[in-house]
Amino acid sequence: MAPTGWILGGVRTPFAKAGGPLKRTPSYELGRVAATEVLARAELDPARLDEVIFGHCAMPSEAANSTRIVALRSGVPEQVPAFTVHRNCASGMEAVASAVYRIASGDAHLVLAGGMESMSQIPLQYTFEYAEWLQGLMTAKSPMAKLGALARFKPAMLTPRIAIAEGLTDLVCGLNMGQTAEVLSREFLITREQQDAFALQSHLKALAARERLREEIVPVFAAPGYEPIRDDVGPREGQTIEALAKLKPYFDRRNGTVTVGNSCQVTDGAVALLIGDDAQAAAWNSAPLGRIRSFAFAGLSPSRMGLGPVFAASRALQKAGLTLADMQLFEVNEAFAAQVLACQAAAKSDAFAKAELGRDRALGEIPDAILNVNGGAIALGHPVGCSGARLLLTLLHEMKRRNLKLGLAALCVGGGQGAAFVLERP
Amino acid sequence: MSIFRVEAQSRGIAHLVMDHPERKLNVLDVAALDSLEQALSELESLTDLTGVVLRSGKPGSFIAGADVEAIGAITDPDEVRRLIQRAHAVFLRLERLPVPTVAAIDGVCLGGGTELALTCDSRIASEEPRTQIGLPEVMLGIFPGFGGTTRLPGVVGYPAALDLILTGRSLDAKRAEKMGLIARAVPAAWLLDHAHRRLAELAKRPDDKRRDRHRLRGLVPWLLDGNPLGRSVVFSQARKGVLAKTGGHYPAPLAAIEVLERCVGQTREIALALECDTVSPLVAGAVCKNLVRIFGLSEAAKKAAVVDDATVRPARIQRLALAGAGVMGGGIAELASRHGIAVRVRDLKPEALQKGLQTIRSVIDERGRKKRMKSREKDGQMALVSPTLELTGVQLADFAIEAVIEDLDIKRRVFAELEVRMRPEAVIATNTSSLSVDALAEGLQHPERFVGFHFFNPVHKMPLLEVVRGARTSDSSLVTAVAFARRLGKTPVVVKDSPGFVVNRVLMPYLREAMHLLEEGYGVAEIDAAMKHFGMPMGPFEVVDEVGLDVAHKVGAVLSRAFPTRMAESQMLVKLAESGRLGRKNGRGFYLHQGRKRTLDPAVRGVLGLTVERKAASLDLLTERMVLAMVNESARCVEEGIVSQPGHVDLALIFGAGFPPFRGGPLRHADTVGLQGIAARLATLHAEKGERFAPSSMLVAKAAAGERFTS
């Protein structure tokens, strides 16, 4: 029996492009806003929580175990333990999975889980060589020793490390995320035009969904002037295929197809969900959002990481005893248009299923009409620590609106992994 | 059980322990002086004494001062002199013990407690927040008279001594160490260890250099303090500062400066004698009596029971639901979050919430600057405030405050919405200033949970809170509301539900009288000057400009309906508002405002259609009419049982409206002037000026019977 749990309620902050209106709001402040609101809307006494688990990729040095900071500042009593998880882009889903494992084992009944990220505030870093040199200078006692230290200085030491660029590059295969998308565009022959068309759709769908998305969004009053941010800052009004076509490929200047326009945006945001067991769900003071039927994580080659959703979905469906055709609604994270399109192609391919998924027939079709119906990360952004949780929240809200029973949410993960959740509304 | 006892320790050290058996905090009353004399005799007789540590036997507190009640009761200056001379003699014996002496201070150390510690050679204190060292005598209309004024300059220098004595402020251990008032700030756990160590250090010094002494370090301190010219500048600056702040109404600070100045270079005996001669008449004087009385009233307001049934306990408030993020709402949210209470603040528009958050942050930043709060502390306080557009997150609230627009229907709707969502035991309170609490409670399922909770603006500065008991308010709700007010650091006064409660009700006829005077031709500046001369921090027209002419008019309208004879509506504010004058908020009112600056607006007379111009023979004639209006209305508040005792009216007007504390409040002022005279003046004015001066029957009755309002 696959471990399950209930998503009782959830809330997220607006997602805003990095360097935009949320740039002065630290990640743990975004997390606090989402956590406080999900507790308030549920009228839940935080003392009832057994654990707090958030995903967070770039944890700031002043907030080690940022989830604990979020918990304490959201009024969660000191007695409730908290920890932070990191599975790259699937950190938000990993947090929920960690909650479900604890619930399934009986170690927890009610968990606050989610994710947070401020990609705006990812710092520039000094090199180790510079730090070592400074240390040498400070410990040098005599004037001669100090002179010696000064003489060892090299200007190259001051060149900062750009942490966000390093974070988005896989150390093992040496490709950054965009380059892995180029790999897939070549493998599945996905043209520039196809990617741009997909990107445009993401923006159009997101703009059309503004009103609907407000249901799941809690406004952030952004520092320093407490300006109210109520909607996602990312979807572009008046986006056209022509404007997209003008952009130059970003990751392969000469022969590439992937541009900043058909990639997800670097973004700030947070998500908070309440995960509970059957007893909690039965006694909940409002209708729970939905139930986690099954979930799975899968590994694959880091250079093809974009196909992660297919591998993970295959496992999750197997665990649930369901097929892709049973799924009535899909959320697949739009890391890159090429990557989502590649997933659709791979899922449809018998050859791929036989060679890579250990199945004798194709996984199935992910129809455009029921995929990312309210827009995706290309328009809304991808704050890496929490996107996984956002997919679950958004999927369930839309399943509720359409009165659907089964849905699938899936993510590709930098480093060569995939994550997928099968959600149901009984 | 003696108040002071001697405990012999090892190696010839003795502890002089103060532990007053009949009091929770150590107080230097007459019995304590008796006991100290005996303990000193015991110390003086010990043969192998090597050092003495003065400490308190009460964990967490040192000595809170002299007996404030006794200071309030004593009226014979000669009796005061004898008492002080005796205290001086006893303290001198401690100072002159042939061995090193160290005071070990943990907890509150004020007034006489500090003075006793100053007689020791050295002082150390614990670093806990509960340790506060100061000389607050000036706040009671006197100055340190147990040798503190004499001894302090030698320890901290003249500029610091003037600062501490004239402001009466308290220092924590770190600041006290920096100032030189104590030798060392140490963790409470090691206080006595360090006291013994200090004794050993002092023993190494030669006898005549044993006392901790102020050292001039650096050029500026020498310039100010190390030479007669610099000191005289310091003294004259201090005098100027006092006169600017007090208008000469408070004799104590000036007397303190005089003593300090005249004692430079004098022997201990001469200085103490001068201190005694100068402070004795002040202790016996009216200002001291009035201030001690107010102090007693405010302590009672912060501690006394407000219902007869002693079994009714207040509920503990952890979460506050707040409706309205305006100026008052923002201030209330900051105040509550400052005390660790989670606040869920709701408003209808995001812009309103934005402004509210800005208000909260600016108060936090202002306080943070003074207290040198770290940014994570400020962020932590801000994190307790959760803004929302929907009324969610209130189910767990223990207390709700409504601070929305002054509209009966809108407020009623807010209460109905809150009641549906909140627990039945939770108290719902309204910050209304002008509407009836009973009228607002109509429609509630449980009106017994409803109470008025009236803050004054600005919330973070004004200490008064009028807690309004409605006809159906339960004892439990009242007790919870009063306890909450006290927890928030406010001074609560319980009042009956009646238009204007106490403060606005007493202020309105006063403001109206100012407008009558203006109509009769006197000048705006003159009228304001008259009241500032009386001791009000601002004149009536300055107050109206501050509050806003629209707000003043609105409150005036409500009160004019309730009290048509005494507070008839004036068209003045309407005419000025129509000409675009709303007060400081838009730069123009009775005055022209530019930032903090205020200048007369000559056009005001024209707008108001005033043609007559008159000059008062003396400001007192103007003052008298305005003050009598306040006194008369205050008497009526007592007569109608709006408050449970006259002292509450005095307290409310001082803490909520800035009535000069040295006069003790409107009713005490009336008693001081003499009720017979007041009644006679009111009768004359009644005949001359009209119904609004009809004297309160209680006032007339008391005058006839030779009674007073205040004791």
Side-chain angles (χ1 to χ4, degrees):
Chain A
M1 263 292 296
T4 67
W6 289 82
I7 300 182
L8 301 164
V11 117
R12 68 178 178 90
T13 68
F15 281 12
K17 256 182 101 155
L22 292 180
K23 72 176 175 182
R24 291 197 192 282
T25 310
S27 49
Y28 42 90
E29 174 63 13
L30 292 169
R32 177 194 73 77
V33 172
T36 303
E37 187 68 14
V38 83
L39 292 168
R41 285 191 196 183
E43 303 287 358
L44 180 67
D45 180 357
R48 285 176 51 193
L49 293 170
D50 295 305
E51 187 89 56
V52 183
I53 313 171
F54 270 57
H56 195 178
C57 290
M59 252 192 299
S61 49
E62 80 271 16
N65 191 5
S66 50
T67 308
R68 177 63 169 169
I69 313 283
V70 165
L72 291 175
R73 285 217 173 144
S74 305
V76 177
E78 291 173 345
Q79 291 71 24
V80 177
F83 66 99
T84 310
V85 295
H86 191 313
R87 198 197 279 265
N88 312 69
C89 317
S91 297
M93 279 191 179
E94 179 60 47
V96 176
S98 298
V100 174
Y101 283 130
R102 277 170 161 73
I103 285 168
S105 73
D107 234 11
H109 304 282
L110 191 57
V111 178
L112 170 59
M116 59 185 139
E117 201 74 57
S118 170
M119 299 181 84
S120 297
Q121 296 202 354
I122 297 180
L124 297 177
Q125 292 175 190
Y126 282 122
T127 59
F128 176 74
E129 286 71 27
Y130 181 59
E132 200 183 21
W133 175 81
L134 262 184
Q135 172 86 319
L137 182 66
M138 289 204 289
T139 51
K141 294 274 191 296
S142 67
M144 279 312 294
K146 284 207 197 290
L147 267 174
L150 283 169
R152 280 195 296 277
F153 177 76
K154 290 194 206 26
M157 284 178 186
L158 287 178
T159 309
R161 294 173 58 169
I162 302 171
I164 189 169
E166 293 186 0
L168 293 172
T169 304
D170 179 59
L171 190 62
V172 172
C173 71
L175 301 176
N176 64 38
M177 298 302 109
Q179 287 166 334
T180 69
E182 291 286 7
V183 166
L184 294 180
S185 79
R186 291 192 294 264
E187 184 180 330
F188 288 86
L189 300 173
I190 299 167
T191 65
R192 169 70 186 266
E193 290 71 28
Q194 284 170 317
Q195 293 174 44
D196 285 347
F198 185 90
L200 179 64
Q201 282 310 303
S202 189
H203 282 274
L204 293 175
K205 285 186 283 186
L207 289 168
R210 250 219 170 112
E211 246 343 282
R212 276 185 303 237
L213 290 175
R214 276 205 175 170
E215 270 179 57
E216 67 198 49
I217 292 177
V218 53
V220 171
F221 291 85
Y226 301 102
E227 190 199 333
I229 312 292
R230 300 183 69 181
D231 298 305
D232 299 310
V233 180
R236 190 169 295 155
E237 306 261 353
Q239 179 71 292
T240 60
I241 201 83
E242 292 80 19
L244 286 164
K246 282 213 192 88
L247 296 167
K248 292 210 175 23
Y250 190 77
F251 303 99
D252 177 352
R253 301 283 154 136
R254 289 180 55 193
N255 301 312
T257 56
V258 180
T259 70
V260 297
N262 56 37
S263 307
C264 69
Q265 300 182 50
V266 173
T267 304
D268 308 324
V271 182
L273 307 171
L274 286 167
I275 316 293
D277 62 14
D278 289 338
Q280 294 292 329
W284 204 242
N285 56 12
S286 57
L289 273 178
R291 189 165 151 267
I292 297 158
R293 178 74 179 259
S294 73
F295 62 89
F297 298 93
L300 63 151
S301 159
S303 58
R304 294 163 86 220
M305 70 93 197
L307 291 174
V310 185
F311 290 84
S314 176
R315 278 205 194 163
L317 288 166
Q318 201 170 38
K319 281 166 86 168
L322 295 167
T323 69
L324 197 65
D326 295 322
M327 300 298 110
Q328 298 164 297
L329 196 63
F330 291 87
E331 280 285 335
V332 176
N333 201 39
E334 295 169 4
F336 304 91
Q339 166 260 327
V340 182
L341 293 166
C343 286
Q344 282 178 307
K348 262 201 318 219
S349 156
D350 285 330
F352 184 89
K354 285 195 193 114
E356 313 240 22
L357 300 177
R359 284 171 175 261
D360 39 54
R361 277 214 314 265
L363 194 58
E365 200 190 335
I366 303 175
D368 288 336
I370 52 174
L371 171 65
N372 302 345
V373 300
N374 291 324
I378 289 174
L380 298 173
H382 175 32
V384 285
C386 67
S387 283
R390 175 189 79 81
L391 298 184
L392 303 177
L393 179 65
T394 286
L395 181 64
L396 284 173
H397 269 281
E398 189 61 30
M399 281 167 66
K400 178 174 166 201
R401 280 183 212 109
R402 298 183 180 207
N403 206 8
L404 301 173
K405 283 211 146 11
L406 288 167
L408 178 81
L411 266 174
C412 58
V413 182
Q417 298 191 64
F421 272 63
V422 175
L423 300 176
E424 76 178 347
R425 282 183 52 85
Chain B
M1 260 263 69
S2 44
I3 301 171
F4 279 92
R5 63 175 186 271
V6 175
E7 285 177 1
Q9 310 284 316
S10 60
R11 288 179 282 156
I13 294 174
H15 283 190
L16 177 57
V17 184
M18 183 174 186
D19 189 352
H20 204 305
E22 281 153 29
R23 292 179 186 268
K24 240 173 71 179
L25 292 175
N26 283 327
V27 162
L28 286 165
D29 52 19
V30 173
L33 284 179
D34 288 338
S35 178
L36 181 55
E37 274 173 347
Q38 285 183 352
L40 283 168
S41 300
E42 201 183 322
L43 283 171
E44 284 157 357
S45 73
L46 289 174
T47 42
D48 46 1
L49 189 65
T50 58
V52 177
V53 174
L54 169 68
R55 69 175 180 86
S56 161
K58 295 195 187 294
S61 72
F62 185 68
I63 300 171
D67 186 355
V68 178
E69 258 185 65
I71 294 176
I74 200 168
T75 47
D76 177 6
D78 286 324
E79 197 187 326
V80 179
R81 287 178 82 238
R82 282 193 295 276
L83 179 63
I84 290 181
Q85 279 162 344
R86 186 174 165 217
H88 283 176
V90 177
F91 281 30
L92 263 176
R93 285 169 64 187
L94 178 55
E95 186 175 32
R96 289 182 173 161
L97 281 175
V99 295
T101 51
V102 170
I105 302 167
D106 176 35
V108 66
C109 171
L110 299 172
T114 307
E115 293 177 280
L116 188 60
L118 280 170
T119 60
C120 297
D121 296 326
S122 185
R123 288 145 294 283
I124 58 166
S126 73
E127 285 170 333
E128 304 295 314
R130 64 179 177 249
T131 297
Q132 295 291 319
I133 309 174
L135 292 162
E137 285 88 340
V138 73
M139 303 203 221
L140 293 179
I142 56 180
F143 60 85
F146 276 5
T149 308
T150 302
R151 293 190 174 90
L152 188 60
V155 176
V156 300
Y158 279 92
L162 281 163
D163 173 14
L164 287 180
I165 292 174
L166 296 180
T167 63
R169 69 187 179 103
S170 308
L171 302 172
D172 60 32
K174 277 214 178 80
R175 292 197 199 174
E177 184 182 334
K178 226 170 149 212
M179 196 185 261
L181 182 57
I182 65 171
R184 206 169 294 145
V186 302
W190 314 131
L191 184 65
L192 289 177
D193 283 346
H194 279 277
H196 295 163
R197 230 181 280 183
R198 188 84 188 127
L199 282 175
E201 285 167 17
L202 293 176
K204 295 205 199 105
R205 297 184 188 171
D207 277 351
D208 57 340
K209 290 203 175 9
R210 208 169 55 211
R211 292 182 67 75
D212 279 351
R213 185 196 321 251
H214 179 62
R215 286 191 202 301
L216 291 167
R217 259 182 272 268
L219 179 63
V220 174
W222 184 85
L223 278 174
L224 285 176
D225 205 2
N227 65 89
L229 186 62
R231 275 198 294 267
S232 77
V233 169
V234 167
F235 284 123
S236 103
Q237 286 298 99
R239 270 198 188 86
K240 283 208 192 99
V242 167
L243 286 169
K245 254 177 80 179
T246 67
H249 289 300
Y250 293 87
L254 294 171
I257 296 174
E258 188 192 331
V259 169
L260 285 166
E261 201 168 26
R262 285 172 60 189
C263 286
V264 175
Q266 290 291 0
T267 62
R268 192 62 104 221
E269 280 79 4
I270 292 178
L272 286 172
L274 187 62
E275 185 186 300
C276 173
D277 288 339
T278 314
V279 83
S280 301
L282 291 176
V283 176
V287 173
C288 173
K289 300 302 159 229
N290 288 347
L291 291 177
V292 167
R293 173 176 168 263
I294 293 297
F295 176 74
L297 285 169
S298 84
E299 287 295 287
K302 288 186 226 180
K303 296 187 182 128
V306 292
V307 298
D308 297 321
D309 186 352
T311 62
V312 179
R313 313 293 314 146
R316 172 140 181 100
I317 311 301
Q318 274 178 290
R319 292 184 178 88
L320 175 70
L322 178 59
V327 172
M328 296 305 279
I332 295 168
E334 189 282 323
L335 183 67
S337 59
R338 193 196 309 170
H339 290 89
I341 294 160
V343 182
R344 183 79 168 161
V345 55
R346 191 250 181 139
D347 208 305
L348 299 173
K349 294 213 183 72
E351 298 72 40
L353 287 172
Q354 177 180 11
K355 276 193 93 178
L357 292 168
Q358 286 170 341
T359 301
I360 297 168
R361 188 72 202 209
S362 72
V363 176
I364 293 179
D365 284 339
E366 190 187 314
R367 295 187 70 250
R369 264 193 299 276
K370 288 198 200 124
K371 292 181 176 282
R372 283 174 235 176
M373 280 168 80
K374 303 211 168 42
S375 48
R376 63 169 174 76
E377 285 176 63
K378 295 192 269 185
D379 291 342
Q381 183 185 338
M382 199 74 203
L384 285 169
V385 179
S386 166
T388 177
L389 295 165
E390 308 296 323
L391 202 52
T392 53
V394 299
Q395 208 177 82
L396 296 174
D398 309 294
F399 202 94
I401 299 177
E402 164 277 306
V404 306
I405 187 178
E406 286 285 282
D407 177 307
L408 189 66
D409 293 316
I410 292 178
K411 283 190 191 297
R412 279 210 188 116
R413 201 175 325 141
V414 169
F415 303 134
E417 286 178 346
L418 283 169
E419 198 174 30
V420 159
R421 290 163 173 78
M422 291 178 69
R423 297 164 14 238
E425 316 80 58
V427 171
I428 300 182
T430 172
N431 182 49
T432 188
S433 55
S434 58
L435 298 170
S436 157
V437 165
D438 285 334
L440 289 168
E442 256 171 63
L444 280 174
Q445 297 277 11
H446 297 278
E448 62 273 15
R449 73 200 294 181
F450 194 70
V451 73
F453 210 62
H454 182 216
F455 288 87
F456 286 80
N457 196 5
V459 172
H460 67 288
K461 285 212 176 108
M462 300 301 279
L464 185 72
L465 209 166
E466 286 175 321
V467 179
V468 187
R469 179 165 204 167
R472 287 171 288 179
T473 305
S474 68
D475 277 358
S476 155
S477 303
L478 185 70
V479 164
T480 298
V482 168
F484 189 39
R486 291 169 177 168
R487 166 124 173 257
L488 294 174
K490 297 300 181 198
T491 306
V493 169
V494 178
V495 305
K496 220 169 77 172
D497 182 29
S498 155
F501 310 129
V502 171
V503 174
N504 284 345
R505 175 167 168 179
V506 170
L507 281 184
M508 191 52 63
Y510 154 71
L511 294 175
R512 283 299 282 116
E513 198 56 35
M515 292 193 245
H516 283 296
L517 288 167
L518 184 60
E519 272 165 17
E520 287 174 27
Y522 299 101
V524 166
E526 219 184 0
I527 296 168
D528 277 351
M531 286 314 297
K532 284 195 282 199
H533 188 65
F534 179 75
M536 300 290 280
M538 288 195 282
F541 295 114
E542 288 167 4
V543 167
V544 174
D545 267 9
E546 206 56 44
V547 161
L549 274 71
D550 47 348
V551 172
H553 177 71
K554 231 179 155 191
V555 177
V558 171
L559 290 175
S560 72
R561 281 195 292 276
F563 308 110
T565 38
R566 295 191 304 282
M567 302 181 218
E569 213 172 336
S570 157
Q571 284 311 302
M572 240 190 223
L573 297 177
V574 178
K575 280 196 202 135
L576 286 171
E578 276 168 5
S579 78
R581 287 177 171 78
L582 291 177
R584 168 184 291 288
K585 59 174 93 162
N586 75 342
R588 300 198 298 162
F590 283 96
Y591 292 91
L592 292 166
H593 298 266
Q594 245 188 334
R596 292 263 109 200
K597 279 186 65 181
R598 222 183 257 130
T599 46
L600 267 181
D601 184 354
V604 163
R605 299 193 73 85
V607 173
L608 292 172
L610 299 170
T611 44
V612 183
E613 242 186 278
R614 214 179 279 209
K615 220 167 159 52
S618 92
L619 288 179
D620 288 339
L621 295 170
L622 302 176
T623 313
E624 193 196 32
R625 276 170 59 180
M626 290 185 276
V627 172
L628 281 175
M630 266 198 272
V631 166
N632 202 15
E633 201 61 39
S634 301
R636 285 176 191 277
C637 284
V638 178
E639 198 178 317
E640 291 170 30
I642 307 299
V643 290
S644 59
Q645 45 166 290
H648 287 176
V649 178
D650 285 338
L651 192 64
L653 266 295
I654 291 174
F655 280 35
F659 191 95
F662 73 92
R663 294 191 192 271
L667 292 173
R668 171 70 119 194
H669 172 71
D671 282 339
T672 305
V673 168
L675 288 185
Q676 277 106 343
I678 300 255
R681 276 306 285 154
L682 280 171
T684 312
L685 286 167
H686 183 191
E688 280 176 18
K689 300 288 176 189
E691 269 313 299
R692 67 179 191 269
F693 277 109
S696 128
S697 16
M698 182 182 264
L699 196 154
V700 171
K702 282 193 187 281
E707 287 170 4
R708 293 161 56 101
F709 276 103
T710 72
S711 43

